Amino acid sequence: MRLSRYFLPVLKEDPKEAQIVSHRLMLRAGMIKQQTAGIYSWLPMGFKVLRRIEQIVHEEQARAGHIPMLMPTLQPADLWRESGRYDDYGEEMLRIKDRNKRDLLYGPTNEEMITDIFRSHVGSYKDLPLTLYHIQWKFRDEIRPRFGVMRGREFLMKDGYNFDLTKEDALHAYNRHLVSYLRSYERMGLQAIPMRADGGPIGGDYTHEFLVLAETGESEVFYDSQITDLTFGDRQIDYDNVAECQAVLEEFTSRYARTDETHDEAVYAEVPEERRRTARGIEVGQIFYFGTKYSEPMGATVRGADGAQVPVHMGSHGIGVSRLLGAIIEANHDDKGIIWPEGVTPFHVGIVNLKQGDNSTDAACDAIYAELQARGLDPLYDDRDERAGAKFASMDLIGLPWRITVGPRGLTTNKVELTSRRTGQTEELSPQEAIARIAQIYQPVLGVTVADK
Ligand code: ATP
Ligand code: MG
C-alpha cells in the first residue's frame, strides 16, 4: 500500500477520552473511531489487524480439527426461554422487537443457538465428537464500557462449542482448546496464562481463563512466577492423542495461577515465597466444560451404542478477538507508539522515502516496494511529500516492526537502512540484502495454510 493512497487518519494530539495506552494509541494511529459508547468503526488499519488475528484463530482451530461456520447476530428469544437464560441474563442483553412484535435479542453468546442446530441435525453417537465454532460480533450492554475495544458493548468473539458422548471425550475437547489457544496467543506475540477461573453456578474445576499480564488489566491475579517461563513454542502436537493433550494441560495448569475470583490464600501460601506474584491481567479467552447444562433442557440427545437416548456433553470456548488488539498493544508499545509483533502487524515493513520527488530515490523505493510484494510481503510505502521527521514519527506511532529508509546519500553506495522498531537498531544494507532479510524474518509467519481435517 502507498500511504498517499491509503486512509490512515493519524491524530496529532492525544485524545482526551482515552484512559489507557492501547486506547490512546489505537485512536492516534487511526485504527478505530468511536460511534457511541462501546461501539466502534474499524478503520482500515485497525480492520487489517483484526483480520490478522482472526486468521491466526482460524488456522489454529483448523489444526485442532474444529469446524468453522457462522451464526447470525440476532437470535429469537424463544431459544433462550428454553434454557432459562432469557430471564437470567439481565440488563446486559439487548432485547429487540421486530415489526411483528416478536422478541429477538442481539446475541451475547451462542450456546442456545448451537444446541438448537445440533439437535436438529445430529442423532447418533457415531456423529460425535463434533466441535463447531464461529467468529461473530456479540453485544453485551456493559454497565461501564471503557478502555476502547477492551470493554466494548459490540465486540468480536470467537466462540466454539464441543459435543461429545461422554465427559471423558468432552474433557479431551477442553484440552484441545487449551492447546490451540496457547498456540494462537503465542503466534500473536502474547503470553496468555491459563488461570483457574470461577465456574459460577456450573462449578467444578473445568474452566480456565487466559490472562495477559498488564498493569491496566481489570482482573487481579496471583501466580507462581515459574509459570511465566512456560512456552508452547513450535513443538508438534497430535490433537487426536488424548494423553498428549492432557500432558499439556497439566504442564500449563499445575502451578498456582488464579484470578481474584478463585484465589485461595491457603493454597497460595504453599508456593515458595520468592515465587509468589501478584499482578493485573487482561482476560483474552476462557474455556468451559459444562456437561449437559444446555443439552438436557433443550433435548440435545444422541442415540448411544445401546440404543438409549443420552444428552450430549458440551463445553464452550471463547477468544476475545477485538479485545486482543488492545491487549497486544498494552503488552507491546513504548512512548513513541505501538510495536506490533510480526504475527499480527498490519503491514510487514514500512518504506520511508527521504527525498520524495528525487528520481533515483523514488525509483529505488518503487523497486523495493515491488520486490517485497512479489515475495508475498505486505509493505507500507510512505510516499508522501513530508519531512523525514514527520515520516519517522508516523512510522513509530503505527508501529510496523521493520522500516527500510531510502535516501539519496545512501543510494550513492547502494545502501539503505533497515531499522527494528523494537530495538531501534539500524543496519546499512544493500536493497537486495534488506529485502532478503525481511523475507527471512517473515518466513515463519507467512503462508500458513491448514486444510480442514
Ligand atoms: P469479562 O469478565 O471481561 O466481562 P466474560 O468472562 O464475561 O468477560 P466470556 O463470556 O468469557 O467473557 O467471553 C469470552 C471472551 O470475550 C472474554 O475472555 C473476553 O476476552 C472477550 N470479551 C468479553 N466481554 C467483552 C467486552 N465487553 N468487550 C470486549 N471483549 C469482551
Ligand atoms: Mg470469561
Side-chain angles (χ1 to χ4, degrees), residues 209 283 285-286 288:
E209 286 175 349
E283 182 193 328
Q286 184 162 12
F288 275 103

Side-chain angles (χ1 to χ4, degrees), residues 140 142 149-152 155 157 209 283-286 288 318-320 322-323:
R140 295 183 187 172
E142 302 274 357
V149 299
M150 294 264 246
R151 185 163 295 283
F155 60 96
M157 194 208 283
E209 286 175 349
E283 182 193 328
V284 291
Q286 184 162 12
F288 275 103
I319 293 184
S322 51
R323 178 179 286 180

Side-chain angles (χ1 to χ4, degrees), residues 68-285:
M69 61 177 296
L70 186 60
M71 289 175 271
T73 53
L74 294 186
Q75 305 187 19
D78 282 344
L79 276 181
W80 288 67
R81 293 196 173 100
E82 285 188 52
S83 71
R85 284 209 293 183
Y86 191 65
D87 295 325
D88 291 352
Y89 220 92
E91 299 253 73
E92 265 193 24
M93 182 187 277
L94 180 63
R95 294 153 209 263
I96 302 163
K97 267 196 205 303
D98 69 12
R99 67 203 300 165
N100 298 313
K101 308 280 181 291
R102 271 191 290 261
D103 292 323
L104 300 174
L105 55 99
Y106 192 135
T109 176
N110 282 65
E111 280 82 4
E112 284 78 358
M113 187 169 278
I114 198 81
T115 306
D116 177 55
I117 291 168
F118 181 89
R119 71 180 171 188
S120 308
H121 298 290
V122 183
S124 163
Y125 74 99
K126 290 182 188 152
D127 300 323
L128 304 180
L130 179 65
T131 296
L132 300 167
Y133 78 93
H134 71 164
I135 299 182
Q136 177 60 293
W137 293 93
K138 305 290 185 290
F139 194 95
R140 295 183 187 172
D141 205 352
E142 302 274 357
I143 306 181
R144 219 172 291 113
R146 57 179 185 163
F147 300 161
V149 299
M150 294 264 246
R151 185 163 295 283
R153 292 196 297 163
E154 189 184 46
F155 60 96
L156 191 59
M157 194 208 283
K158 171 266 169 182
D159 42 324
Y161 305 88
N162 66 283
F163 300 91
D164 288 279
L165 184 62
T166 63
K167 176 174 179 183
E168 210 178 26
D169 291 349
L171 290 178
H172 175 53
Y174 185 90
N175 296 348
R176 279 200 315 271
H177 282 90
L178 180 120
V179 176
S180 66
Y181 282 22
L182 289 172
R183 287 186 52 101
S184 305
Y185 298 125
E186 282 188 19
R187 284 186 58 189
M188 296 171 200
L190 283 178
Q191 179 171 46
I193 304 172
M195 300 203 182
R196 186 159 156 178
D198 186 2
I202 306 157
D205 290 342
Y206 304 114
T207 177
H208 284 90
E209 286 175 349
F210 291 78
L211 285 112
V212 172
L213 300 178
E215 280 164 29
T216 48
E218 291 187 288
S219 318
E220 191 177 14
V221 300
F222 304 82
Y223 61 95
D224 177 341
S225 64
Q226 277 190 344
I227 200 155
T228 56
D229 299 334
L230 296 176
T231 52
F232 190 82
D234 56 7
R235 55 179 115 160
Q236 294 300 313
I237 182 134
D238 174 2
Y239 277 105
D240 291 331
N241 185 322
V242 172
E244 239 180 72
C245 293
Q246 175 68 22
V248 177
L249 172 104
E250 280 163 20
E251 179 185 349
F252 280 83
T253 63
S254 58
R255 292 174 185 78
Y256 192 90
R258 299 194 191 185
T259 65
D260 44 6
E261 284 173 2
T262 51
H263 179 56
D264 182 334
E265 280 294 340
V267 187
Y268 187 52
E270 289 166 21
V271 178
E273 196 169 350
E274 69 281 5
R275 298 204 325 241
R276 282 181 225 156
R277 298 282 186 281
T278 324
R280 302 204 66 84
I282 303 167
E283 182 193 328
V284 291

Side-chain angles (χ1 to χ4, degrees), residues 403-439:
R403 186 183 81 209
I404 298 177
T405 309
V406 184
R409 192 161 351 123
L411 284 177
T412 58
T413 53
N414 194 36
K415 291 282 190 250
V416 296
E417 285 179 358
L418 179 65
T419 306
S420 155
R421 173 70 181 85
R422 198 172 284 278
T423 65
Q425 273 173 359
T426 291
E427 263 184 284
E428 289 217 330
L429 299 169
S430 72
Q432 291 67 31
E433 285 166 337
I435 292 164
R437 182 74 63 80
I438 295 291

